[in-house]
């Protein structure tokens, strides 16, 4: 056994032990050290780099590590085996995905505004904000020798009188508390109930004088990022808000790699634990701490997530999702309770889920569609969710069509050498001076934060600026020289946004031709999906009235730049609306409002799914879209104009 | 810390450690060594005797231990403290209650006959033998790219087609198995379902070719003895049968002591564990082993027990049962599932319970009433359940009245110095020669088994014979002398059934005047309850058409002897019928037949309860009944005749 030490730039470290020959990436995973490995450890992506601080590793030399870097101790962890005691530095850029949890500061109105808006918008659409959970005061006669009704019947009759519902269900957990709570409070109590027209379920019982607020948890489980809000179920007030990296990231960046990992022995449980025990439960803990809210007073939870994520969350075999004919275990289910999956809220809390409509269009999209309200207008709208997968919904109050395309993790900073989530140190916006080629950028975090990498919106800006300034050609190759342009020995060019000494990381913050190529394929997937879907419906981009853009790409997304690189169609810029994380907002609405929940099921049932891979023109469209902005520049007149004007 | 060793007569031993000053009975309890202590350890009953084999104890001398016995090392464990390493013998008579589990040999027709008879009797009463559990074969279309319905919807539709029930519920546990079971069996499966007219619940799913029998568990949880049968829910076949001592016995012999123990810190859990983990689960294990039946194929369970037992079983505070106004947490409840209480069967199995009708008339009686069928005849019948409490039901198809009296554990051999359950070594029947005063007896167990003590039916016989032979007077005092009659230094007489050298125990098997007095109070409680209830209803014993006697007293009960001692009224002996453990038989019928279950709820709802303690004549009746056979011998003409004839 050898001692393996993982050191971090903040000075912290994790120590573990491993056998000779163990794979370093696997060792990191089993020690819960998050090293970004989008390719799931097959040496292809080159992102899992670590730097030897002491000791040795038996490493394969790969193209991803230059001679100088190898000299300096850089290794790919997936290509390294343990051969001695070793101490490696895990650079921030590689650990950028690690589960850094953030509890939002609710004193900032921005954090709450999106939910307040969603509430009023949905009400304007005629959907009531009411749910079936309620706290009711129940006063009973104190029993005597002349009135010897048993406790459960006494409570049942009192509740029946209150709500005129015949069927009252008192589960074991309440029955068990009943004798004591009734007697300690002289038969004056309050109950947390769920009441429908013909059925009442008693979740909990308290003394009359106890202060009980019914909590609800809305959660968006993204492939990369998990976001949640803790709410007051009576009025929808946001009590706490939090986000964190999805702990599953160490099992691969995309859903396919996750499913593959889940098929290994014990894998299903590992992936479920990674998202529930390591990600969601700590978030609940922190939110409840910040809101001073008891966890077991959370009586309902709504999950919005893609189909793979909700299968892995539920611990249900997701393998059929990735093999023909791509069948989920469920589109919707009523069967899930907190105790089934170990979410740390009231164990009888019902977990509802935004419905899936296929293996590749999941609850995140149906929830987002609810929020976008494209179903509520006669005009034609396009809803785009830019996640690890890109999903589109096009339609109006008469019809809706959806499709999905595999964009990869580029929009969230994956597959990009200096890519990262929109967390501290991420360059989220950028302009480049055409003459000097010097960049000016905006960095996420407190003033003075040094750049560490690029998040999705930053990448769009950089590529757009590089193209508009004539620094790269439509294929994404560098065509100008300067101090910020570098070429390695294989001729691959890159643009340096921040030199090592300016950066908050241990190497230059740069964007390479490989990165640009990866991003072009991601944006090309989106654009060609839009075109393919519209063409199939005999529509043209000019007929789109509104585009709703959602996703973790960040509120900083510059729509014009996204048009410039050919990601979105060249239509008037005021038609684009960024609606934030609509998956979370949708989960919030479904949680708070039973009519909104029903509406979402209805939307899902009426939404058509188009499998792009079966549409012949899709590949042609994709090939054409893999240029900046497109092979057919006539589709992008304003971009051409901008190049002239700059 | 001192080492404490408990040795048993079979050579086995249990070792534990204790601190100086620890009470020996408590030490035994925490080491799960069952020492009978009906008074729950306050030195009153004198039954918890152990014999020092080595080491020492700090013991109080009590009246229950003679000087000779003290010399020989006998001590009361409740009056002994640890002061050194010690090894004590726990005599069989004291450990007679220990959880000796017995799995019945089903090749004996007797064991099964009672259930077969109950089935045909209940059918003759017009109650169908059908329940809602069923195994159904489900064939589905194999999904394809043109038929991409998710798994749960596919199954739901197929089940709906089969049974024409709209609402199908697939719980998490089945959803989790779904993708694999469907694909491994090419979408041909069988499901275990529970179907009512408007609702179907899927318990489990298997491949089409698997052999699945739905199991059910009927159980009678007596204060002293627990009995159970494992059945095939399709046809009621008995697959296994078992009985064991209730592990709670070490917390006191009667329900009041158990409730008191349950109020100590952690007590509720201890008592629940004692009956479930230590008693019921091992019984299930053994039954399933003998029947080669998988535990998790037991999908339904029915419990019949007195009100205290079902509260302690469910882990629900029973304290309100013993204090005015004596309110149970439930008469009936639908809320209990196997996983709630940790019964080791399918975790989603529903546990139904025979309904209570008050704190002192519980599900054992309502289940027994179902079996007795007194509700099905115009003639007046009396149903008597002789347990630790005695309960009576009197009535016919028009009305039923119930009452309970505290008989104490005497009928099951408790409160009697040589009393024991009807297990190996128990004298279960006895005659005495009037001239020689020599006894002839029948012993439970294989031929050649030596007598260890007396069970209920044996005690009745011995007292009846002693009285008829003129050896004791109506007050139960010895009035003849002989080699089998002994008097201790305080003048207390006893009759020796087996001298130490003939006995299977370490002392004489005898019955003392104290024992007889205890038993007279027990039988007096029963007789006076019968008289009080009948008198209140303006009935006379001569108007009783049939008497159904149930309970653990054993099938060997000699009804004439029970009349002789004044336990039952002096009516023609052919009117008495011993119906065995009707609590278990009733639980069996409720489990197997939903109409029988409903009938029991109906019976319970229509049964009136008479609280004897509030009836003024009860005490007078009791005082009169505390003689053999009674102060008013004119009520027992045949007994008087028998004395003349012997």
């Amino acid at each position: 056994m050898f001692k393996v030490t993982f050191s971090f730039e903040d000075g912290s470290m994790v120590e573990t032990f491993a056998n000779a020959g163990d794979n370093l990436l696997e060792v990191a995973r089993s020690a819960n050290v998050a090293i970004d490995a989008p390719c799931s450890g097959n040496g292809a992506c080159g992102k899992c780099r670590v730097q030897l601080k002491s000791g040795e590793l038996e490493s394969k030399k790969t193209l991803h590590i230059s001679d100088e870097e190898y000299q300096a101790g850089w290794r790919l962890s997936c290509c390294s085996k343990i051969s001695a005691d070793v101490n490696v530095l895990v650079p921030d850029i590689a650990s950028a995905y690690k589960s850094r949890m953030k509890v939002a500061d609710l004193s900032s109105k921005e954090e709450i505004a999106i939910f307040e808006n969603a509430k009023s918008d949905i009400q304007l659409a005629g959907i009531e904000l009411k749910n079936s959970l309620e706290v009711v005061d129940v006063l009973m006669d104190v029993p005597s020798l002349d009135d010897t009704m048993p406790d459960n019947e006494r409570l049942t009759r009192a509740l029946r009188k209150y709500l005129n519902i015949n069927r009252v269900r008192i589960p074991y957990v309440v029955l068990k508390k009943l004798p004591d709570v009734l007697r300690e409070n002289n038969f004056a109590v309050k109950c947390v109930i769920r009441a429908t027209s013909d059925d009442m379920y008693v979740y909990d019982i308290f003394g009359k004088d106890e202060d009980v607020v019914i909590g609800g948890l809305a959660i968006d489980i993204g492939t990369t990022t998990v976001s949640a809000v803790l709410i007051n179920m009576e009025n929808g007030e946001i009590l706490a808000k939090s986000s964190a990296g999805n702990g599953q990231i160490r099992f691969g960046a995309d859903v396919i790699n996750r499913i593959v990992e889940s098929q290994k022995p014990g894998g299903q449980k590992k992936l479920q634990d990674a998202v529930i025990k390591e990600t969601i439960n700590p978030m609940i803990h922190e939110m409840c701490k910040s809101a001073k809210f008891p966890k077991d007073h959370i009586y309902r939870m709504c999950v919005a997530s893609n189909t793979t994520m909700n299968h892995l969350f539920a611990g249900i075999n997701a393998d059929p999702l990735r093999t023909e004919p791509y069948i989920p275990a469920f589109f919707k289910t009523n069967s899930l309770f907190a105790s089934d999956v170990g979410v740390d809220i009231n164990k009888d809390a019902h977990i509802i889920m935004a419905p899936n409509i296929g293996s590749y269009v999941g609850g995140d999209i149906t929830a987002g569609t609810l929020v976008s309200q494209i179903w509520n207008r006669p005009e034609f709208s396009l809803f785009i969710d830019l996640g690890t997968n890109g999903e589109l919904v096009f339609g109006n109050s008469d019809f809706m069509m959806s499709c999905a395309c595999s964009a990869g993790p580029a929009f969230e900073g994956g597959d990009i050498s200096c890519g990262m989530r929109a967390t501290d140190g991420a360059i989220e916006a950028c302009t480049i001076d055409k003459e000097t080629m010097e960049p000016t950028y905006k960095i996420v975090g407190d003033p003075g934060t040094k750049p560490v990498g690029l998040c999705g919106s930053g990448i769009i800006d950089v590529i757009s600026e590089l193209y508009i300034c004539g620094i790269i050609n439509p294929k994404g190759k560098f065509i100008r020289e300067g101090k910020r342009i570098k070429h390695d020995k294989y001729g691959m060019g890159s643009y340096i946004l921040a030199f090592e000494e300016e950066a908050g990381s241990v190497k230059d913050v740069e964007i390479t031709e490989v990165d640009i190529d990866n991003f072009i394929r991601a944006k090309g997937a989106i654009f060609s999906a839009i075109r393919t879907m519209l063409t199939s419906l005999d529509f043209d981009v000019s007929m789109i009235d509104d585009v709703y853009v959602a996703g973790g790409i960040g509120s900083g997304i510059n729509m014009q730049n996204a048009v410039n690189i050919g990601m979105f169609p060249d239509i008037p810029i005021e038609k684009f609306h960024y609606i934030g994380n609509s998956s979370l907002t949708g989960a919030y609405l479904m949680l708070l409002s039973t009519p909104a929940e029903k509406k979402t099921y209805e939307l899902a049932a009426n939404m058509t799914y188009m499998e792009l891979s079966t549409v012949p023109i899709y590949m042609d469209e994709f090939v054409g879209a893999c240029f900046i902005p497109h092979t057919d520049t006539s589709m992008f007149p304003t971009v051409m104009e901008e190049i002239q004007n700059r």
Side-chain angles (χ1 to χ4, degrees), chain A residues 49-64:
Chain A
R49 48 168 60 201
V50 295
Q51 191 178 25
L52 267 172
K53 291 183 68 174
S54 65
E56 32 186 284
L57 283 170
E58 198 182 306
S59 302
K60 267 191 272 183
K61 180 91 174 59
T62 81
L63 268 186
H64 296 286

Side-chain angles (χ1 to χ4, degrees), chain A residues 462-534:
Chain A
V462 171
I463 296 176
S464 171
E465 289 289 295
L466 289 173
Y467 175 66
I468 300 288
C469 296
I471 302 170
I472 55 174
N473 67 13
K475 287 180 167 173
K477 303 297 169 203
F478 286 92
I479 49 177
R480 285 176 65 181
E481 297 296 337
K483 76 172 178 124
R484 289 193 176 266
I485 314 288
K486 210 171 65 172
H487 286 278
D488 71 5
K489 63 176 174 187
Y490 306 102
M492 185 183 69
S494 60
Y495 173 82
I496 298 167
L497 285 127
F499 292 101
E500 190 175 337
E501 51 278 16
E502 311 163 299
S505 181
V506 291
K507 58 195 270 287
D508 296 345
V509 178
E510 60 179 354
I511 186 162
T512 68
E513 288 176 356
V514 172
D515 298 336
I516 296 172
D517 192 50
N518 283 340
F519 202 88
I520 286 178
R521 277 186 282 113
K523 76 92 190 170
I526 297 290
F527 186 79
S528 52
I530 297 172
R531 283 269 299 177
T532 305
M533 186 158 67
L534 291 185

Side-chain angles (χ1 to χ4, degrees), chain A residues 535-569:
Chain A
T535 307
S536 307
L537 292 168
D538 270 334
F539 275 78
D540 180 88
V541 295
S542 66
M543 297 157 85
I544 304 174
D545 287 289
D546 285 290
V547 180
Y548 297 92
V549 180
I553 196 160
S555 58
I557 182 173
N558 182 314
M559 298 293 180
Q560 184 60 57
N561 285 346
V563 172
N564 288 351
I565 64 169
M567 175 166 157
F568 295 155

Side-chain angles (χ1 to χ4, degrees), chain A residues 40 73 76 78 126 149 241 250 258 327 389 412 551 559 588:
Chain A
S40 202
L76 289 192
C78 75
M149 201 186 288
K241 183 167 179 287
R250 67 177 186 277
R258 304 270 175 93
I327 307 296
N389 270 13
E412 288 167 274
M559 298 293 180
Y588 166 79

Side-chain angles (χ1 to χ4, degrees), chain A residues 277-297:
Chain A
K277 289 197 187 156
E278 292 171 32
T279 310
I280 296 174
N281 284 349
M283 288 170 77
I284 293 170
H285 182 80
E286 288 302 320
M287 286 193 290
C288 284
K289 206 171 93 182
S290 91
K292 296 184 180 59
F293 196 88
K295 288 180 202 173
D296 59 354
H297 287 196

Side-chain angles (χ1 to χ4, degrees), chain A residues 189-296:
Chain A
V189 298
K190 55 178 58 171
C191 291
V192 174
I193 63 166
R194 187 191 68 219
T196 60
S197 60
D198 60 348
D199 184 291
M200 188 195 304
Y201 183 89
V202 182
Y203 274 105
D204 222 334
I205 185 165
F206 300 93
K208 182 177 67 72
D209 298 326
E210 249 181 281
D211 191 28
V212 179
V213 168
I214 301 183
L217 182 72
I219 192 156
D220 157 53
I221 305 178
T223 312
T224 305
T225 308
V226 178
S227 313
V229 284
L230 169 65
I231 74 165
N232 177 336
M233 288 292 290
E234 193 187 336
N235 53 23
E237 185 194 349
I238 305 288
L239 304 175
K241 183 167 179 287
S242 162
S243 68
N246 185 334
Q248 291 179 342
I249 201 87
R250 67 177 186 277
F251 298 105
D254 63 35
V255 297
I256 298 300
N257 275 308
R258 304 270 175 93
I259 296 176
V260 170
E261 284 289 326
S262 75
Q263 298 306 302
K264 297 181 180 169
Q268 214 158 283
K269 182 74 172 52
K270 271 189 201 162
L271 279 139
Q272 192 182 28
D273 283 353
V275 68
I276 296 179
K277 289 197 187 156
E278 292 171 32
T279 310
I280 296 174
N281 284 349
M283 288 170 77
I284 293 170
H285 182 80
E286 288 302 320
M287 286 193 290
C288 284
K289 206 171 93 182
S290 91
K292 296 184 180 59
F293 196 88
K295 288 180 202 173
D296 59 354

Side-chain angles (χ1 to χ4, degrees), chain A residues 600-619:
Chain A
T600 313
Y601 298 140
E602 186 193 311
L603 296 177
N606 293 326
M607 206 182 282
T608 315
Y609 173 64
M610 172 185 286
E611 175 56 50
L612 287 182
S613 61
T614 66
V615 182
I617 59 164
Y618 179 63
M619 267 323 284

